C-alpha cells in the first residue's frame, strides 16, 4: 500500500524523504513523488516506477526545501503514471494520501463546476482542490483542513504542505495509519513507524479520526470533533537497522530462514518452559465454558492460518469454529451472539476488511481477540485481547514468517483454551506443548532441504499450472502453497483438499500437470496415499513433500520427493510451511521475478 513521509527539517529534506520512503518499499508501490517549499513556493518531483527513478529525477533537478512531503503510490484510482503520482498540488498546497476517498466523484463535479481544473485521474486531487477552495473562501490552512475533513468519505491518511508556510505540516488519519515523529527542532509524519526510524524513535500514533498540526517545535493533536487531545508518546521498536537483508539476496529468503528463531520466540511467549504448559499472557475477560462457537476472520495468508487453527481448536476445545474471509464476512450481515469469541488474524493489523470485521463483531457484543504482528496497529488497539506474534517486521510482501508465527500463536491459544474448558487434560497439554517446542529445531532441519527445493523449482518454473493437495491441516497449507506460487511466479496454481480430487480436479491430471502433495505422517496419511495413487495412475507429475519413506509406503513413483524430518503428527503445518515457501521463492528467483515485491501486490491492504 501507499506510504507517506513528511519532514519539517533543518536541512534539505527531499533525499531523506526518499530514503525514508525506501523503508516503506516493502508495502508495494508503483510510482513516487516528493514536494518541498523553495522560497515559500511549492516544488515537486514525481516519477513512475521504482524510487530509483525518483532519485534520478532529484539528482538531475534537485530540491533544496527544508520542509516537505513524499509518497509511494499503489494505484487505486487511475493508472500508475507520473500524472497520477502524489503529491497532488494546487497553487496553494500539496497533499499526499493513502486509502480511498469514496465520494470523490461528487466532490470533483462540484469543484469542476466552480471552475477548478484537475490534472489527474486520482481521488486524491479532489482533496487538494477542496482545501484550496476553502482557503480561497478566506480560511487559513488549519481551518480549511478542519472544514474539509468532515466532507471526505472513506478510509484514508493525508499529509499537507502549504505554499508560504515553511513551518507547517498537517496530517490526518481516518482508517489508514499515520504517526507523528518527534525530533530535536525537527518534526516528522509517517504512515509507518518504520519510515520514521532513521529520524526518531519518539512516536505518537494518531487515533482514528485524529488530525495533527505540526511545526518545528511540536504537534497539536485534535480528535474527529476537532477537540484538542493528547496521545501518548511512545518509543518505537522499529530500529533503523532492521531493514537489512543481511547476506540474503531477498528479504523473503531472510524471513524464511528467520523462522526457527521467531517461531521459537513466539512460542516462548505462550509456553512456560519449566512446566511444559501453556501460559497465556492475558486473562480471558469472559467465561470460556459459556462459549458455543468461535469465529475466525482474516484475509489471504492470515486466513490460511485461521483455517489451520480450526483443526486444532475443534479438536482441543470441542467447539465449532467458523473461519471466514473478512471481505465476504463484513458484508454478509452474519448473525453473531453477544458474548461469543471472534479471533481476527493479521500480520499488519491494518487490513481494511479484517478491521471492519473486527468492528462488526465488536458491535454485536463479541469478545475480540487479535492475533497480530504489529502491536501498535489499529487491530491491536481495538481488540479486547491482544495475542501478539513475535515475527518482527516482515518486509517481503509475500507473508512467510508472520504465517508460521500466527500458526504458533493459534496453536498455543487452542491448547490454552482447551485447558480452560477442561476438554484437554494436563497430560495431553504437556504432550502437545512438547511437540510445539520441537518445532523450531524441525524448521531448521526443513530449511536444510533447500538445495533439493531449488532443483525442483527449476522444473516447476516451466509449468503452466500447478495443483497443491493436502488433507487435514495440510489442506490449508495446500491453499497457502498455491497462493505463494501464484503471487511470486505468476504461474497459475490451485490448492485443493486431497479428498476433493475425485470430485472434479482429477480431470486436470495428465503428464504435463505437476501436483505438489503434502503428505506428512499424520492421522490422515493413509487417506492421502489413496489420492497419491489416483494422481500416479493418471500420469500426474508428483512432487511429494513427506517423510523419507512416504513414496515407498504409498507405492508410487514421484517425480521428486522432498524428505522432511520425522515429526509427531499435530503441528506438521508449521514445519511443512517451509518447503512450501522455499519452493515458491526459488521458482520466482529462477524466473527472474522480484521475490520481495511481486507485481501488483501490496503489503498492507488498507483499502477494500
Ligand atoms: C500473501 C499475503 C497476503 C496477506 C493478506 C492479509 O502472501 O501476504 O495474503 O496475508 O493481505 O494481510 P494481513 O495479515 O496484514 O492482514
Amino acid at each position: 500500500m501507499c506510504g507517506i513521509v513528511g519532514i519539517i527539517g533543518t536541512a534539505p529534506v527531499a533525499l531523506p524523504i526518499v530514503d525514508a520512503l525506501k523503508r516503506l518499499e516493502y508495502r508495494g508501490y508503483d510510482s513516487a513523488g516528493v514536494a518541498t517549499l523553495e522560497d515559500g513556493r511549492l516544488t515537486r518531483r514525481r516519477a513512475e516506477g521504482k524510487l530509483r527513478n525518483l532519485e534520478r529525477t532529484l539528482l538531475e533537478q534537485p530540491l533544496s526545501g527544508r520542509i516537505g512531503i513524499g509518497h509511494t503510490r499503489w494505484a487505486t484510482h487511475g493508472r500508475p503514471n507520473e500524472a497520477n503520482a502524489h503529491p497532488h498540488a494546487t497553487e496553494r498546497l500539496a497533499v499526499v494520501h493513502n486509502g480511498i476517498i469514496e465520494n470523490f466523484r461528487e466532490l470533483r463535479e462540484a469543484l469542476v463546476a466552480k471552475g477548478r481544473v484537475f490534472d489527474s485521474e486520482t481521488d486524491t486531487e479532489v482533496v487538494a482542490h477542496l482545501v484550496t477552495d476553502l482557503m480561497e473562501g478566506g480560511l487559513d490552512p488549519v481551518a480549511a483542513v478542519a472544514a474539509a475533513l468532515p466532507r471526505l468519505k472513506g478510509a484514508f491518511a493525508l499529509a499537507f504542505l502549504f505554499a508560504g508556510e515553511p513551518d507547517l505540516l498537517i496530517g490526518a488519519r481516518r482508517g489508514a495509519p499515520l504517526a507523528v515523529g518527534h525530533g530535536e527542532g525537527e518534526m516528522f509524519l509517517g504512515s509507518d513507524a518504520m519510515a520514521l526510524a532513521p529520524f526518531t524513535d519518539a512516536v505518537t500514533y494518531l487515533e482514528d479520526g485524529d488530525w495533527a498540526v505540526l511545526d518545528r517545535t511540536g504537534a497539536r493533536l485534535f480528535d474527529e470533533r476537532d477537540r484538542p487531545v493528547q496521545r501518548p508518546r511512545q518509543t518505537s521498536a522499529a530500529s533503523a537497522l532492521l531493514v537489512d537483508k543481511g547476506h540474503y539476496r531477498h528479504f523473503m529468503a531472510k524471513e524464511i530462514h528467520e523462522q526457527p528463531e521467531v517461531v521459537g520466540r513466539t512460542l516462548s511467549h505462550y509456553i512456560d518452559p519449566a512446566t511444559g504448559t501453556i501460559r497465556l499472557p492475558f486473562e480471558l475477560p469472559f467465561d470460556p465454558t459459556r462459549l458455543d462457537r468461535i469465529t475466525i476472520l482474516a484475509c489471504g495468508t492470515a486466513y490460511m492460518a485461521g483455517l489451520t487453527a480450526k483443526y486444532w481448536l475443534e479438536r482441543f476445545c470441542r467447539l465449532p469454529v467458523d473461519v471466514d474471509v473478512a471481505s465476504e464476512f463484513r458484508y454478509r450481515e452474519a448473525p453473531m451472539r453477544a458474548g461469543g469469541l471472534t479471533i481476527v488474524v493479521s500480520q499488519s493489523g491494518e487490513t481494511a476488511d479484517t478491521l471492519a470485521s473486527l468492528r462488526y463483531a465488536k458491535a454485536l457484543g463479541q469478545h475480540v481477540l487479535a492475533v497480530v504482528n504489529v502491536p501498535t496497529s489499529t487491530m491491536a488497539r481495538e481488540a479486547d485481547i491482544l495475542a501478539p506474534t513475535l515475527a518482527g517486521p516482515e518486509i517481503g510482501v509475500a507473508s512467510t514468517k508472520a504465517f508460521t508465527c500466527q500458526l504458533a500463536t493459534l496453536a498455543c491459544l487452542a491448547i490454552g483454551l482447551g485447558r480452560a474448558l477442561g476438554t484437554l487434560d494436563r497430560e495431553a497439554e504437556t504432550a502437545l506443548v512438547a511437540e510445539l517446542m520441537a518445532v523450531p529445531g524441525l524448521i531448521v532441519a526443513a530449511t536444510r532441504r533447500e538445495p533439493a527445493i531449488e532443483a525442483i523449482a527449476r522444473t516447476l518454473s516451466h509449468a503452466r499450472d500447478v495443483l497443491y493437495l493436502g488433507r487435514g491441516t495440510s489442506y490449508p497449507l495446500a491453499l497457502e502453497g498455491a497462493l505463494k506460487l501464484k503471487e511470486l511466479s505468476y504461474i497459475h496454481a490451485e490448492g485443493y483438499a486431497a479428498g476433493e480430487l475425485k470430485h472434479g480436479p482429477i480431470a486436470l491430471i495428465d503428464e504435463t500437470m505437476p501436483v505438489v502433495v503434502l503428505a506428512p505422517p499424520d492421522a490422515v496419511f493413509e487417506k492421502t496415499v489413496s489420492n497419491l495413487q489416483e494422481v500416479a495412475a493418471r500420469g500426474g507429475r508428483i512432487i511429494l513433500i513427506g517423510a523419507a519413506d512416504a513414496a515407498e509406503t504409498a507405492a508410487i513413483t514421484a517425480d521428486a520427493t522432498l524428505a522432511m524430518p520425522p515429526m509427531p503428527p499435530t503441528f506438521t503445518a508449521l514445519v511443512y510451511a517451509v518447503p512450501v515457501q522455499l519452493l515458491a521463492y526459488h521458482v520466482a528467483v529462477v524466473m527472474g521475478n522480484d521475490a520481495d515485491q511481486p507485481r501488483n501486490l501490496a503489503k498492507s491492504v488498507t483499502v477494500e
Side-chain angles (χ1 to χ4, degrees):
M1 285 286 95
C2 313
I4 289 179
V5 174
I7 304 180
I8 307 180
T10 49
V13 295
L15 290 174
I17 285 176
V18 174
D19 279 343
L21 288 172
K22 280 188 192 156
R23 298 169 62 84
L24 299 177
E25 274 195 302
Y26 72 97
R27 296 159 67 109
Y29 69 101
D30 38 45
S31 57
V34 55
T36 63
L37 280 191
E38 290 181 337
D39 298 326
R41 275 183 308 106
L42 288 163
T43 46
R44 65 181 164 151
R45 306 281 181 263
R46 297 178 294 167
E48 191 178 327
K50 294 287 173 192
L51 278 165
R52 59 176 171 271
N53 300 346
L54 178 62
E55 258 174 331
R56 204 175 306 125
T57 311
L58 280 165
L59 286 177
E60 286 160 8
Q61 303 164 269
L63 293 177
S64 61
R66 288 161 190 250
I67 180 169
I69 52 177
H71 189 260
T72 40
R73 170 173 189 254
W74 187 75
T76 55
H77 292 75
R79 279 167 303 125
N81 56 22
E82 190 182 327
N84 288 333
H86 302 206
H88 288 284
T90 63
E91 58 289 0
R92 294 209 177 221
L93 62 91
V95 64
V96 291
H97 159 223
N98 289 355
I100 289 182
I101 309 293
E102 283 170 7
N103 58 336
F104 86 100
R105 263 179 242 286
E106 59 198 75
L107 289 172
R108 186 173 165 133
E109 276 164 25
L111 288 158
V112 167
K114 281 180 142 184
R116 300 218 56 93
V117 179
F118 284 72
D119 298 325
S120 78
E121 304 159 321
T122 65
D123 52 342
T124 308
E125 201 185 349
V126 89
V127 182
H129 284 286
L130 178 62
V131 177
T132 302
D133 186 60
L134 289 160
M135 287 175 72
E136 282 176 1
L139 297 181
D140 65 27
V142 175
V145 170
L149 289 174
R151 296 179 56 185
L152 303 176
K153 289 199 186 124
F156 51 79
L158 295 162
F160 295 90
L161 170 72
F162 296 89
E165 298 281 355
D167 196 20
L168 174 69
L169 286 181
I170 301 181
R173 174 197 170 141
R174 195 193 300 157
L178 194 66
V180 172
H182 306 263
E184 291 286 321
E186 297 185 310
M187 289 294 289
F188 309 94
L189 274 174
S191 48
D192 183 320
M194 188 89 87
L196 300 176
F199 311 125
T200 178
D201 63 357
V203 172
T204 301
Y205 295 95
L206 299 192
E207 300 272 317
D208 214 32
D210 285 358
W211 55 289
V213 179
L214 279 67
D215 63 25
R216 227 161 275 282
T217 61
R220 285 180 291 140
L221 267 49
F222 303 91
D223 69 7
E224 61 195 335
R225 291 212 243 142
D226 301 338
R227 294 173 300 205
V229 280
Q230 303 283 340
R231 305 289 181 215
R233 193 186 286 202
Q234 302 178 15
T235 304
S236 154
S239 134
L241 294 174
L242 275 172
V243 189
D244 176 7
K245 286 187 217 149
H247 64 279
Y248 292 97
R249 192 162 155 196
H250 294 101
F251 283 109
M252 184 176 177
K254 175 174 172 252
E255 288 160 5
I256 290 172
H257 286 273
E258 273 172 7
Q259 289 178 113
E261 191 197 328
V262 295
V263 168
R265 196 194 304 157
T266 302
L267 287 172
S268 44
H269 194 66
Y270 297 96
I271 289 174
D272 178 352
T275 56
T277 56
I278 296 293
R279 183 191 47 200
L280 294 181
F282 44 77
E283 292 290 320
L284 290 176
F286 56 87
D287 174 3
T289 60
R290 300 182 74 91
L291 291 179
D292 62 355
R293 144 176 324 271
I294 297 172
T295 308
I296 304 182
L297 304 168
C299 298
T301 290
Y303 167 74
M304 314 307 182
L307 274 183
T308 316
K310 174 182 169 84
Y311 289 81
W312 298 326
L313 282 161
E314 288 189 346
R315 192 176 127 199
F316 306 158
C317 306
R318 308 308 310 151
L319 276 174
V321 177
D322 290 329
V323 190
D324 230 312
V325 169
S327 56
E328 283 301 312
F329 176 83
R330 65 181 288 194
Y331 293 116
R332 216 177 51 228
E333 295 178 28
M336 299 185 112
R337 282 221 196 114
L341 175 62
T342 292
I343 302 177
V344 293
V345 187
S346 174
Q347 187 285 127
S348 61
E350 303 293 349
T351 300
D353 288 320
T354 313
L355 181 58
S357 302
L358 176 160
R359 290 177 178 157
Y360 176 88
K362 252 189 124 169
L364 292 187
Q366 291 266 306
H367 302 287
V368 177
L369 184 149
V371 176
V372 295
N373 196 41
V374 181
T376 47
S377 62
T378 313
M379 281 182 225
R381 280 184 279 126
E382 292 195 12
D384 303 306
I385 312 159
L386 170 62
T389 51
L390 305 182
E394 190 179 63
I395 307 297
V397 164
S399 190
T400 54
K401 62 175 182 168
F403 173 65
T404 43
C405 288
Q406 284 160 355
L407 292 181
T409 303
L410 289 162
C412 292
L413 277 176
I415 303 172
L417 215 48
R419 282 294 284 147
L421 288 164
T423 43
L424 266 190
D425 61 22
R426 175 75 183 244
E427 203 183 327
E429 178 187 19
T430 48
L432 289 169
V433 168
E435 285 192 35
L436 276 176
M437 282 165 58
V439 161
L442 290 162
I443 295 180
V444 174
T447 56
R448 299 218 174 99
R449 309 298 297 139
E450 194 159 6
I453 296 170
E454 274 186 77
I456 298 172
R458 276 192 284 279
T459 330
L460 216 56
S461 64
H462 300 294
R464 205 190 59 176
D465 310 281
V466 179
L467 204 57
Y468 282 73
L469 300 177
R471 280 178 182 259
T473 54
S474 297
Y475 160 48
L477 194 57
L479 298 178
E480 170 62 4
L483 177 66
K484 285 281 98 85
L485 191 71
K486 300 188 244 235
E487 284 184 292
L488 290 152
S489 68
Y490 321 138
I491 293 173
H492 169 239
E494 293 284 347
Y496 260 97
E500 277 288 292
L501 188 65
K502 56 176 94 52
H503 300 290
I506 199 162
L508 295 169
I509 308 282
D510 64 15
E511 50 293 338
T512 66
M513 174 68 110
V515 185
V516 179
V517 184
L518 301 162
D522 57 13
V524 284
F525 174 73
E526 289 303 326
K527 305 287 170 200
T528 313
V529 166
S530 328
N531 306 123
L532 274 166
Q533 286 162 348
E534 287 159 12
V535 176
R538 282 153 189 90
R541 289 166 44 204
I542 296 173
I543 296 160
L544 179 58
I545 307 183
D549 60 356
E552 199 186 325
T553 317
I556 52 130
T557 311
D559 254 39
T561 303
L562 267 178
M564 298 296 286
M567 69 172 294
T570 319
F571 301 113
T572 52
L574 276 138
V575 178
Y576 280 54
V578 175
V580 160
Q581 297 163 347
L582 281 171
L583 194 57
Y585 170 73
H586 283 292
V587 175
V589 172
V590 170
M591 295 175 79
N593 296 348
D594 184 344
D596 282 337
Q597 289 172 45
R599 71 181 182 204
N600 302 340
L601 294 181
K603 183 71 186 158
S604 176
V605 185
T606 48
V607 293
E608 284 182 49

